């Protein structure tokens, strides 16, 4: 009964001063909503970056030769020989360039890659119709090509391009396969490209030697060992450890996750400061409330209210303000996350764990910052309280 009376009196006090109560809760509302918004957006961005790098392959190593050593490139045979290293399941050398592709009245500037058949396994690229490139295509420098789904749409519309001819920088190539849709990654669109045999690309692009290739390991756990073996082999072949660069997507993912987590934590910490400020605001208002209701407290004590009754009433009032502010902050924060999600170019994810933490924190603030004013009210002596005007 006493608890019910304390709750009733605390609610009446809050409702009786609606504007002051709202302004008191405003700091908590802003703090909670800011924390939820910042952490949700940060988590969503971090997941997007991780997905983009994972799309590059966590079991892949990408090697780029810059040409500072005694040798500025590798031969195809040298490159394919790295497939014999322990832990390696495939090697895919690539020669890249750009061409103007034409089909009747349609044309488009498209990235071109000269590849080996191993590209299918290493890069996980497969055809949805037709066939992939074969060793015989490289052996006889056949003018055949694979076309990405986006490029096919530009040049052929809804028509099936397999078996059709296409002109690349004026030379005629026959399309033997239409690649499956892969989407985009950090390296750009995987569907807007044309693939031709590596040997054909050397002559067509007037490029000799391999300056870029990828190695697929048997598992992501083999990456460190393969990378170490590869560094030794490349240094011996090129004569200079600075003549090449090995890109490890897994290391980049870990680095980006750490950076993103640190940034999100820093922003959440800054936003969390407003929760502390909101708690101080609650304490100040509660102290003002105690001073305003000193005579009321004296009357209640004079007719038998105990110290614990007064303490409970003001503690409940403080907790109610902070908890209601926390709930309103959660609603505001989730609403802001939804609004931001309509404008950012990646899927938004709600930080539900932060919702729980923010609510618990707002409740704790009500307890911590309500102790001082509640204790002040409970310790008032009836005789002095009654003499207050």
């Amino acid at each position: 009964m006493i608890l019910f009376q304390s709750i009733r009196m605390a609610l009446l006090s809050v409702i009786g001063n609606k504007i002051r109560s709202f302004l008191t809760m405003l700091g908590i509302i802003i703090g909670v909503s800011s924390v939820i918004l910042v952490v949700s957006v940060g988590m969503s961005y971090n997941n997007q970056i991780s997905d983009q790098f994972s799309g590059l392959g966590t079991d892949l190593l990408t090697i780029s030769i810059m040409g500072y050593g005694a040798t500025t490139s590798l031969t195809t045979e040298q490159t394919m020989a790295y497939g014999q290293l322990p832990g390696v399941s495939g090697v895919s050398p690539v020669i890249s360039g750009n061409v103007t592709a034409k089909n009747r009245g349609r044309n488009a500037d498209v990235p071109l890659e000269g590849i080996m058949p191993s590209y299918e396994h290493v890069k996980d690229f497969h055809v949805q119709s037709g066939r992939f490139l074969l060793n015989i295509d490289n052996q006889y420098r056949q003018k055949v090509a694979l076309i990405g789904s986006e490029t096919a749409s530009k040049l052929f519309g809804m028509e099936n391009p397999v078996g059709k001819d296409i002109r690349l920088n004026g030379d005629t190539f026959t399309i033997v396969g239409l690649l499956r849709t892969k989407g985009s990654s950090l390296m750009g669109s995987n569907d807007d490209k044309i693939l031709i045999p590596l040997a054909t690309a050397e002559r067509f692009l007037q490029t000799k030697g391999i300056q870029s290739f990828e190695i697929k390991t048997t598992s992501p756990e083999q990456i460190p060992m393969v990378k170490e073996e590869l560094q030794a082999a490349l240094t011996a072949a090129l004569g200079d450890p600075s003549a090449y660069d090995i890109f490890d997507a897994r290391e980049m993912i870990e680095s980006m996750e750490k950076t993103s987590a640190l940034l999100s934590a820093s922003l959440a910490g800054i936003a969390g400061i407003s929760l502390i400020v909101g708690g101080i605001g609650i304490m100040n208002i509660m102290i003002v409330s105690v001073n305003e209701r000193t005579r009321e407290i004296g009357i209640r004590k004079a007719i038998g209210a105990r110290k614990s009754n007064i303490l409970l009433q003001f503690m409940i009032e403080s907790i109610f303000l902070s908890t209601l502010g926390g709930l309103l902050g959660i609603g505001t924060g989730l609403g802001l996350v939804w609004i931001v999600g309509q404008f950012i170019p990646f899927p938004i994810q709600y930080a539900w764990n932060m919702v729980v933490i923010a609510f618990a924190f707002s409740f704790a603030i009500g307890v911590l910052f309500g102790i001082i004013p509640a204790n002040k009210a409970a310790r008032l002596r009836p005789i002095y309280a009654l003499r207050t005007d």
Side-chain angles (χ1 to χ4, degrees), residues 72-84:
T72 60
S73 64
L74 300 173
T75 64
T76 303
E77 291 72 22
Q78 284 177 305
T79 305
M80 297 304 293
Y82 295 130
Q84 304 303 315

Side-chain angles (χ1 to χ4, degrees), residues 31-336:
V32 170
S33 59
S34 298
V35 168
I36 292 173
L37 176 63
V38 167
V39 174
S40 294
V41 173
M43 183 176 70
S44 301
Y45 176 74
N46 185 41
N47 290 339
Q48 175 71 7
I49 292 297
S50 296
D51 290 344
Q52 291 285 344
F53 276 107
S54 296
L56 298 178
T58 54
D59 56 354
L60 288 180
L61 290 172
T62 302
I63 297 88
S64 300
I65 300 172
M66 284 80 75
Y68 299 125
T71 306
T72 60
S73 64
L74 300 173
T75 64
T76 303
E77 291 72 22
Q78 284 177 305
T79 305
M80 297 304 293
Y82 295 130
Q84 304 303 315
L85 293 174
V88 174
S89 69
V91 179
S92 175
V94 176
I95 293 176
S96 302
N98 288 281
V99 295
T100 299
K102 293 184 178 181
N103 173 46
R104 294 192 285 270
R106 300 176 178 177
N107 62 79
D109 292 326
V110 185
L112 178 77
E113 293 182 2
I115 65 166
M116 297 287 286
S118 56
Y119 186 97
E120 182 178 18
H121 165 67
V122 173
K123 297 282 287 181
D124 194 29
F125 267 74
H126 305 283
V127 295
Q128 55 179 296
S129 62
R131 66 169 177 85
F132 208 81
L133 299 182
L134 306 174
N135 283 322
I136 196 170
D137 296 324
N138 267 291
Q139 184 178 351
Y140 292 101
R141 291 189 172 90
Q142 298 290 333
K143 290 189 175 182
V144 293
L146 302 175
I147 189 169
S149 57
E150 187 177 333
T151 307
S153 179
K154 290 178 183 177
L155 298 174
F156 293 91
M158 300 299 293
E159 186 181 1
N160 186 355
V162 177
K164 304 292 193 303
D165 288 341
I166 189 174
R167 295 185 68 80
L168 304 179
N169 286 353
D171 286 2
T172 301
F173 283 74
T174 300
I175 297 174
V176 295
L178 173 63
L179 294 168
R180 291 180 185 172
T181 300
K182 289 275 289 184
S184 299
S185 68
L186 290 175
M187 306 303 290
S189 174
N190 290 312
D191 302 321
D192 189 18
K193 63 171 60 178
I194 292 176
L195 308 180
I196 64 175
L198 183 73
T200 307
E202 285 182 322
R203 180 176 294 177
F204 180 70
L205 296 174
Q206 297 182 351
T207 300
K208 292 196 67 176
I210 305 300
Q211 292 187 308
S212 177
F213 63 97
E214 290 184 300
I215 286 183
K216 186 181 182 71
T217 59
T218 52
S219 69
E221 290 72 26
Q222 297 293 324
I223 287 286
M225 181 191 73
V226 173
K227 188 175 181 179
E228 187 175 336
E229 293 283 341
L230 191 59
Q231 285 173 333
L234 286 170
T235 300
L238 299 173
D240 186 350
S242 64
Y244 61 88
D245 177 67
I246 301 177
F247 174 77
D248 180 358
R250 194 177 63 167
E251 286 184 357
M252 189 63 69
I253 291 173
E254 292 174 355
S255 177
M256 288 297 298
E257 285 179 346
K258 289 179 182 178
T259 302
S260 180
L262 180 61
L263 180 60
S264 295
S266 301
L267 293 175
I270 294 171
I273 292 174
S274 60
L275 282 173
I276 305 297
V277 174
I280 294 172
I282 288 177
M283 183 175 66
N284 289 338
I285 294 299
M286 292 302 299
I287 290 174
V288 171
S289 180
V290 169
N291 292 335
E292 288 178 346
R293 295 153 64 187
T294 300
R295 189 173 182 81
E296 173 197 328
I297 295 169
I299 293 172
R300 290 190 64 200
K301 280 201 163 188
I303 61 176
R306 298 178 181 178
K307 178 180 178 180
S308 59
N309 301 140
I310 305 298
L311 181 67
L312 183 61
Q313 178 190 340
F314 281 90
M315 282 296 296
I316 289 173
E317 189 172 330
S318 174
I319 292 171
F320 179 78
L321 284 171
S322 63
T323 303
L324 182 58
L327 291 173
L328 291 174
I330 289 171
T332 303
L334 293 177
L336 289 173

